[in-house]
Amino acid sequence: MGALSLSQVTKAFGKTEVIKGVDLTVNDGEFCVFVGPSGCGKSTLLRMIAGLEDVSGGDVMLDGVRINDLAPAKRELAMVFQTYALYPHLTVRENMGLALKQAGEPKAKIDASIARAAGMLALDPYLDRRPAELSGGQRQRVAIGRAIVRTPKLFLFDEPLSNLDAALRVATRIEIARLHRELGATMIYVTHDQVEAMTLADKIVVLRAGRVEQVGAPMELYNNPANTFVAGFIGSPQMNFLKSAAVGQQGETTGIRPEHLTIARDAGQIAGQVSHVEKLGGETLVYVRAEPHGLLTVRLFGEHDFAVDEAVWLTPDATRAFHFDANGARLR
Amino acid sequence: MSQSRSHTGRTIAAHAVLLTYTLIALFPVFVIVINSFKSRKAIFADPLALPMPENFDAVGYTTVLQQGHVVQYFANSLIVTVASLFFVLLFGAMAAFALSEYRFKGNMLMGLYLALGIMIPIRLGTVAILQMMVAAGLVNTRTALILVYTAQGLPLAVFILSEFMKTISDDLKNAGRIDGLSEYRIFFTLVLPLIRPAMATVAVFTMIPIWNDLWFPLILAPSEATKTITLGSQVFIGQFVTNWNAVLAALSLAIIPVLALYLIFSRQLISGITAGAVK
Ligand SMILES: Nc1ncnc2c1ncn2[C@@H]1O[C@H](COP(=O)(O)OP(=O)(O)O)[C@@H](O)[C@H]1O
Ligand SMILES: [Mg+2]
């Protein structure tokens, strides 16, 4: 069990309101990702769910029980931090067992839980080491193991991969996805990286400045963004925004993803000049300066040769275009 | 290449300055120690001569050690210094933790108020302190000295330690809260070990003035049973005759315990820095 619901949750530090009324439900067993730019309040919202920050207004409910005033340790949740936050004076085994020991569980049960978690994360060889003797990736696995040992109702992750290098980040991401399948537990995961959000989430919550912009499955957000903010945030490289008037489309702004623009040397709808080319092997990104729109990105499959300053023509796939009004809201 | 040479040049200059300073600072101590092993005549004939077989005389040490109470004086100094240090570090760290960890009304003002004592010498309040100690019946007790020295050491301790407290990761404390540790456990088992280097610094800064103090022992605890070694050494300094051998021997002996404490704390300092926190 682990169904979370927030209703009209707010948080103010002194006079500055940081979370401005969030409504949200996370179903049992769901992988929910909070995504948004730095400083939008993701960590604050997560810490409120954990009980590490007081809730200024609204209700936080776990399995139908209001937990606003419950101490963090009583909420049956576990948290994994960006900086790992392992106890430096304890061994890996003691780090993982501390919460159960505090809860007064019998030693046999603690040992069994540690063995199970260590098995899932291949941590057996390190159980008697101290955190200082582990690499960054190992430390983060221990932190994840510490969370698993408690068999919590709810897992909370606050940017757990940000301090790892790129290769380790992908490996740990896959590991977290596997753990979610194996444990079937409810997980809430905070990140500013939309790739992590897209690849892990059942449900993405896009936050901006303390408000929820849109909630949905990754492909729902990709195919059906509610406004220019979500459209620009989800998908990589970023969506292109064209001036509708200049391309004969409705609304103020027309959004078109880089993969839905075609490029040609002889003819097309938008004239432009190549300003930069990035060849990634499997795909080629061509950056084209086209007035009055600005810099547009075209994503091509395979290898392509374009010279910088070459004149080219772009054509958007009108069936895949999104239309937004002057306030950025989607026109349907 | 020229850069590396100027680098060496700067290193030499820095070491020259440091060495000069060390020599100047150690010179009086050196003079005290060498003269404590010489006969009275040799001390005045050539104060800078090293103790040699022909001028050697341990009469100072025998006088001091025969003077019965010296061991008691040492014990008093040690008890007062160690107990004051313990309370300064404990209460200083607790106050610093509360100030940097919890948001409450008047947090900033409270911090300023606690740090104010750095700028106001506690001796200005001597008369009031003496009246209070008389009223409380604490005159001529070591408790009186410990209370005063704790008050004297706290402002700097709170100030330095709260700066360090702010550098400790919130995540670590939050992990402890989620795992069900009490705030006391978080403070004692997670936070204190990480600020050990700062505690050692505070300990050294706090310890020296307490050990060397003559003022409060003279005013609050001059009885034979509660005299500290600094005050006790004064018996050899008379208005008309001063037993220089004994004074120098007593001062030399007084250096030893404080040196030992310093070595303990500086080891803590170094091991604290090299062990490092786990990110
Ligand atoms: N303890 C605090 N006191 C005051 N403001 C805070 C505090 N914690 C966070 N904030 C502010 O709240 C906003 C959201 O912070 P945070 O939740 O950490 O953002 P995110 O995790 O999305 O990057 C930021 O503008 C930050 O300055
Ligand atoms: Mg954050």
Side-chain angles (χ1 to χ4, degrees):
Chain A
M1 282 296 282
L4 180 82
S5 90
L6 307 181
S7 58
Q8 277 307 307
V9 165
T10 60
K11 173 74 193 177
F13 289 111
K15 289 214 161 44
T16 39
E17 202 166 41
V18 173
I19 302 292
K20 300 163 185 166
V22 169
D23 288 304
L24 181 69
T25 45
V26 182
N27 300 323
D28 186 29
E30 205 164 37
F31 200 119
C32 174
V33 175
F34 294 174
V35 67
S38 208
C40 70
K42 308 178 295 287
S43 298
T44 304
L45 192 57
L46 196 73
R47 286 205 302 271
M48 288 161 76
I49 296 170
L52 298 168
E53 294 279 4
D54 297 331
V55 177
S56 304
D59 293 322
V60 180
M61 317 268 285
L62 186 58
D63 289 336
V65 183
R66 187 171 181 274
I67 57 168
N68 280 33
D69 303 314
L70 209 57
K74 298 259 150 54
R75 296 189 179 198
E76 295 179 66
L77 43 79
M79 189 155 171
V80 177
F81 299 88
Q82 179 179 351
T83 58
Y84 322 137
L86 299 177
Y87 309 120
H89 62 297
L90 300 181
T91 62
V92 168
R93 186 193 306 278
E94 291 163 337
N95 261 284
M96 289 167 65
L98 186 67
L100 293 184
K101 201 170 141 207
Q102 284 301 115
E105 298 286 352
K107 183 151 185 336
K109 189 182 163 200
I110 299 178
D111 287 342
S113 301
I114 293 174
R116 172 171 150 270
M120 289 177 99
L121 290 159
L123 284 172
D124 296 294
Y126 313 116
L127 281 179
D128 292 312
R129 292 206 200 164
R130 292 193 190 252
E133 297 162 301
L134 301 176
S135 71
Q138 290 165 343
R139 285 180 202 173
Q140 194 55 293
R141 291 223 305 282
V142 173
I144 295 171
R146 181 169 68 179
I148 294 175
V149 165
R150 307 187 54 180
T151 48
K153 283 183 180 175
L154 192 58
F155 282 88
L156 305 177
F157 295 87
D158 192 354
E159 310 215 13
L161 308 184
S162 302
N163 283 9
L164 302 180
D165 61 49
L168 216 46
R169 208 175 305 168
V170 175
T172 314
R173 194 170 81 202
I174 292 171
E175 197 143 358
I176 291 175
R178 178 176 65 79
L179 284 173
H180 178 243
R181 276 195 306 275
E182 284 177 16
L183 298 169
T186 317
M187 296 187 175
I188 300 181
Y189 185 106
V190 163
T191 178
H192 63 266
D193 178 2
Q194 60 94 22
V195 176
E196 279 174 32
M198 297 292 276
T199 51
L200 287 171
D202 296 322
K203 177 191 268 176
I204 295 182
V205 179
V206 182
L207 291 165
R208 172 163 64 161
R211 285 208 171 77
V212 174
E213 291 287 314
Q214 192 174 0
V215 180
M219 284 309 121
E220 227 171 290
L221 299 192
Y222 178 83
N223 291 320
N224 220 348
N227 51 42
T228 47
F229 180 78
V230 176
F233 202 84
I234 300 291
S236 163
Q238 227 197 13
M239 183 185 278
N240 297 301
F241 293 106
L242 311 175
K243 303 262 180 293
S244 292
V247 285
Q249 298 276 334
Q250 63 181 120
E252 170 80 11
T253 312
T254 297
I256 185 84
R257 296 203 180 274
E259 47 271 42
H260 302 141
L261 270 179
T262 49
I263 187 166
R265 289 196 169 84
D266 41 8
Q269 201 179 346
I270 307 166
Q273 255 188 338
V274 175
S275 93
H276 185 65
V277 182
E278 287 180 347
K279 291 183 192 171
L280 303 171
E283 62 183 32
T284 305
L285 301 179
V286 187
Y287 297 88
V288 177
R289 183 155 297 287
E291 294 314 326
H293 312 293
L295 196 64
L296 303 180
T297 313
V298 184
R299 183 183 196 178
L300 302 170
F301 188 73
E303 296 171 42
H304 297 267
D305 280 319
F306 284 95
V308 169
D309 288 338
E310 190 178 349
V312 290
W313 294 89
L314 304 181
T315 312
D317 175 355
T319 60
R320 309 297 296 262
F322 302 100
H323 303 105
F324 304 95
D325 69 13
N327 295 325
R330 175 95 176 274
L331 298 169
R332 297 180 197 254
Chain B
M1 193 207 141
S2 73
Q3 200 187 352
S4 92
R5 196 171 342 136
S6 87
H7 187 75
T8 334
R10 229 180 303 162
T11 313
I12 291 172
H15 278 80
V17 170
L18 290 173
L19 274 175
T20 315
Y21 178 77
T22 310
L23 286 181
I24 293 172
L26 284 182
F27 186 69
V29 179
F30 175 71
V31 172
I32 289 175
V33 173
I34 57 169
N35 281 308
S36 71
F37 289 104
K38 290 174 3 191
S39 67
R40 188 180 170 85
K41 230 167 88 193
I43 295 174
F44 286 100
D46 188 357
L48 294 184
L50 292 175
M52 293 293 165
E54 58 273 18
N55 64 12
F56 179 83
D57 196 341
V59 66
Y61 289 92
T62 47
T63 320
V64 168
L65 293 175
Q66 272 162 12
Q67 216 273 343
H69 292 296
V70 164
V71 175
Q72 176 71 41
Y73 298 163
F74 263 107
N76 289 338
S77 269
L78 262 181
I79 291 169
V80 167
T81 307
V82 171
S84 309
L85 257 185
F86 174 79
F87 288 123
V88 166
L89 292 179
L90 178 70
F91 296 140
M94 285 178 139
F97 182 72
L99 285 174
S100 57
E101 184 65 18
Y102 306 123
R103 283 187 296 267
F104 55 90
K105 261 210 172 72
N107 180 319
M108 275 281 283
L109 274 180
M110 184 65 114
L112 272 180
Y113 171 71
L114 286 178
L116 210 62
I118 299 173
M119 285 154 276
I120 303 174
I122 192 168
R123 288 178 191 193
L124 288 182
T126 303
V127 174
I129 289 173
L130 182 58
Q131 282 169 345
M132 265 179 348
M133 293 300 174
V134 171
L138 288 175
V139 172
N140 276 331
T141 61
R142 289 178 291 243
T143 316
L145 291 179
I146 293 170
L147 286 174
V148 170
Y149 290 141
T150 306
Q152 172 187 307
L154 271 176
L156 191 67
V158 172
F159 184 72
I160 294 181
L161 293 179
S162 51
E163 286 308 309
F164 270 82
M165 292 282 181
K166 286 179 195 142
T167 65
I168 293 183
S169 118
D170 283 335
D171 286 356
L172 188 64
K173 291 173 273 187
N174 285 339
R177 290 190 180 114
I178 287 183
D179 279 349
L181 299 185
S182 67
E183 293 295 307
Y184 284 99
R185 278 282 298 278
I186 290 173
F187 172 73
F188 281 112
T189 62
L190 298 183
V191 174
L192 275 196
L194 292 180
I195 57 158
R196 237 173 33 186
M199 302 259 284
T201 312
V202 171
V204 170
F205 277 116
T206 311
M207 168 181 78
I208 308 285
I210 297 178
W211 183 268
N212 288 342
D213 192 31
L214 191 57
W215 182 264
F216 285 112
L218 187 61
I219 293 167
L220 298 178
S223 78
E224 210 47 44
T226 55
K227 256 184 202 166
T228 61
I229 185 67
T230 327
L231 183 57
S233 311
Q234 307 300 314
V235 300
F236 303 113
I237 302 182
Q239 193 175 357
F240 306 108
V241 201
T242 295
N243 185 345
W244 285 108
N245 296 77
V247 171
L248 294 176
L251 290 178
S252 301
L253 286 176
I255 295 170
I256 297 169
V258 82
L259 198 64
L261 282 177
Y262 176 80
L263 287 178
I264 293 171
F265 290 129
S266 57
R267 281 183 75 98
Q268 281 292 314
L269 237 169
I270 290 161
S271 68
I273 288 166
T274 49
V278 174
K279 263 197 102 183

